[in-house]
């Protein structure tokens, strides 16, 4: 018997991929499965989304895990490689590499192998995290396009900093910086493919769709926009985080609950103790007042989140018993709503789900 578990709905993932394809018709989809597929389970998610045109991960280990699981599809290593050994390993795993700095150009120029690599030149159009600045682009392109052995494919990508902002002004600026770089650029007589859009841009800014889109959060059914839900876009939440009531107790008025005694019963109260804590990835900012759902009803957490447990005031639900299922987020309680209650974004809540939480596929 499992106490806490993350139930992942493979059909929701597939349906979200369809919604994304409908938003960006004819574009290829690079499904972003970094960070354990945003907490949803790397291999299971990639298998559920086998239909995607490519997968994207942040770290070499993630790509290795996918290949070991038998995934044959294209895998893009978003941060690229950082030394010669990683480059050889990436080539062995047949990965697409993002190239965003001189160090990586030098590694590629020193590549001793025979294999023709698939490369993505990253241009920094305003995020100021990774990528060549627009004025460095030509020189970097020149060095990549004259590598020996020649790249098998060479494409361009950039990342948007403010795609979730309604006015789209920053995005328009970023587009204006990248477009002239690729306009007229050809390789072996063909135009060069470009990738710009993350989830927010896919859902709201068709001008960014280019040839490849890179959805992350939307695949998981979660809205990238503050104040909106995935369901506003027809997306389905893929993860339900659920646990169980492990004790029920009656508390006299005036008693305090949990570490620091941060909640005090204003009246006699009934508490449900639930097997979920920060050891499972729950944020401590979800203490006092954040909701959970028991028997279809919302009840408030009381006291602090501890490592293995939380407490809910179930005075309004006298029938609660040990063994009752508790939804921490899911269909009855959108993770977006909980994220705003915790002063963060839903990305952080799902990514935080820890290794201790078993994933169950449905
Ligand atoms: C994480 C990431 C994405 C996906 O972003 P979402 O907001 O989750 O859609 C796309 N591109 C890059 C380079 C990323 O790092």
């Amino acid at each position: 018997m499992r106490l806490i578990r993350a139930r992942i709905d493979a059909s929701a993932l597939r349906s979200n991929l369809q919604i994304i394809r409908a938003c960006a018709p004819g574009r290829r989809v690079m499904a972003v499965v970094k960070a354990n597929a945003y907490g949803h389970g790397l291999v299971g998610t990639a298998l559920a989304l086998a239909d995607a045109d490519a997968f994207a991960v942040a770290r070499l280990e993630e790509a290795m895990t996918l290949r070991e699981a038998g995934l044959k599809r294209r895998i893009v290593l978003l941060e690229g490689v950082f030394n010669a050994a990683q480059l050889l390993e990436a080539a062995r795993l047949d990965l697409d590499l993002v190239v965003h700095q001189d160090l990586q150009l030098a590694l590629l120029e020193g590549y001793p192998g025979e294999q023709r690599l698939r490369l993505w030149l990253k241009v920094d159009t305003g995020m100021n995290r990774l990528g060549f600045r627009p004025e460095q682009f030509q020189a970097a392109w020149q060095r990549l396009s004259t590598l020996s052995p020649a790249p098998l494919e060479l494409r361009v990508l950039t990342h948007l900093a403010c795609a979730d902002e309604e006015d789209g002004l920053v995005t328009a600026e970023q587009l204006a910086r990248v477009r002239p770089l690729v306009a007229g650029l050809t390789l072996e007589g063909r135009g060069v493919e470009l990738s710009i859009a993350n989830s927010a841009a896919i859902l709201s800014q068709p001008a960014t769709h280019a040839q490849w889109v890179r959805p992350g959060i939307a695949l998981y059914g979660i809205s990238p926009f503050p104040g909106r839900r995935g369901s506003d876009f027809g997306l389905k939440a893929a993860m339900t985080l659920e646990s169980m009531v492990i004790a029920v107790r009656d508390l006299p008025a005036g008693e305090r609950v949990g570490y620091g005694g941060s909640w005090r019963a204003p009246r006699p109260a009934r508490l449900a103790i639930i097997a979920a804590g920060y050891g499972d990835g729950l944020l401590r900012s979800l203490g006092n007042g954040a909701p959970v759902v028991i028997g279809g009803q919302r009840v408030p957490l009381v006291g602090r989140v501890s490592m293995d447990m939380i407490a809910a005031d179930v005075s309004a639900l006298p029938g609660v018993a040990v063994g009752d299922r508790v939804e921490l987020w899911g269909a009855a309680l959108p993770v977006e709503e909980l994220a705003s209650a915790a002063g963060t974004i839903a990305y952080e809540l799902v990514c935080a789900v820890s290794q201790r939480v078993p994933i169950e596929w449905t």
Side-chain angles (χ1 to χ4, degrees):
M1 186 189 63
R2 276 162 164 184
L3 299 176
I4 191 167
R5 60 211 163 144
R7 278 199 298 109
I8 313 294
D9 179 351
S11 71
L13 291 171
R14 284 191 285 267
S15 156
N16 296 334
L17 177 57
Q18 290 317 310
I19 299 266
I20 286 160
R21 287 204 188 276
C23 276
R27 319 304 164 108
R28 275 183 280 176
V29 176
M30 187 190 297
V32 180
V33 293
K34 61 191 179 189
N36 198 28
Y38 294 47
H40 293 63
L42 175 59
V43 170
T45 298
L47 293 177
L49 295 174
D51 216 28
D53 301 290
F55 293 92
V57 296
R59 307 283 155 82
L60 189 57
E61 292 76 11
E62 298 170 321
M64 217 179 284
T65 302
L66 288 176
R67 285 288 185 249
E68 278 165 12
L71 193 89
K72 298 284 194 297
R73 277 268 198 264
R74 177 192 291 264
I75 301 174
V76 181
L77 189 55
L78 290 172
E79 293 169 7
V81 292
F82 301 95
N83 59 46
Q86 288 186 355
L87 176 55
L88 288 174
E89 180 64 4
R92 186 183 74 80
L93 296 170
D94 193 26
L95 307 183
D96 283 32
L97 296 179
V98 169
V99 182
H100 57 78
Q101 60 183 339
D102 282 331
L103 167 95
Q104 293 169 329
L105 291 176
L107 285 173
L108 288 164
E109 285 163 346
Y111 173 63
E114 293 295 305
Q115 195 172 327
R116 295 183 62 195
L117 303 171
R118 293 190 194 83
L119 304 175
W120 294 77
L121 177 54
K122 183 162 194 177
V123 52
D124 181 2
T125 52
M127 182 72 149
N128 287 307
R129 215 171 47 175
L130 298 182
F132 292 91
R133 294 193 54 77
E135 61 272 20
Q136 303 169 319
F137 177 84
Q138 277 308 333
W141 177 268
Q142 183 62 25
R143 284 173 71 181
L144 287 179
S145 55
T146 53
L147 283 174
S148 170
L152 186 59
E153 289 166 7
L154 183 51
R155 303 193 161 104
V156 176
L157 90 162
T158 193
H159 194 44
L160 298 173
C162 303
D164 57 333
E165 287 177 6
E166 242 164 64
D167 64 21
L169 291 176
V170 176
T171 298
E173 249 172 62
Q174 291 196 255
L175 281 179
R177 286 179 177 176
V178 73
R179 284 232 175 84
L181 301 178
V182 292
L185 201 60
T186 57
L187 195 70
E188 293 169 355
R190 273 181 292 152
V192 169
E193 293 184 358
L194 176 65
S195 176
I196 306 168
N198 57 5
S199 296
I202 293 165
L203 295 172
S204 69
Q205 312 207 35
T208 63
H209 289 175
Q211 285 76 41
W212 287 81
V213 294
R214 303 192 307 272
I217 200 78
L219 283 172
Y220 307 101
I222 297 169
S223 165
F225 304 102
R228 312 284 303 271
R229 307 267 170 83
S231 54
D232 297 346
F233 305 91
L235 300 168
K236 294 183 184 147
M239 182 192 291
T240 303
L241 187 65
E242 62 184 33
S243 188
M244 206 184 86
V245 174
I246 57 169
V248 177
R249 47 197 301 125
D250 289 309
L251 211 64
E255 283 291 305
R256 294 168 187 272
V257 174
Y259 288 116
S262 67
W263 185 81
R264 184 174 218 160
R267 45 174 164 71
R270 176 163 288 184
L271 291 190
I273 309 300
I274 300 159
Y278 62 78
D280 302 297
L282 280 196
L283 304 189
R284 285 183 75 253
S285 49
L286 284 172
N288 284 321
V292 295
V293 175
I294 304 179
Q297 300 253 15
R298 289 185 181 210
V299 290
L301 296 184
V302 294
R304 289 187 188 152
V305 172
S306 47
M307 189 181 294
D308 311 308
M309 280 170 266
I310 46 179
D313 179 0
V314 293
S315 306
L317 300 178
V320 169
V322 170
D324 282 0
R325 175 182 174 273
V326 181
E327 181 173 315
L328 301 162
W329 66 69
L333 179 54
V335 67
E336 292 95 331
E337 180 183 338
L338 215 55
S340 8
T344 183
I345 53 176
Y347 292 76
E348 190 183 11
L349 288 187
V350 288
C351 282
V353 172
S354 77
Q355 291 294 327
R356 184 167 87 176
V357 178
I359 289 176
E360 281 181 13
W361 286 88
T362 59

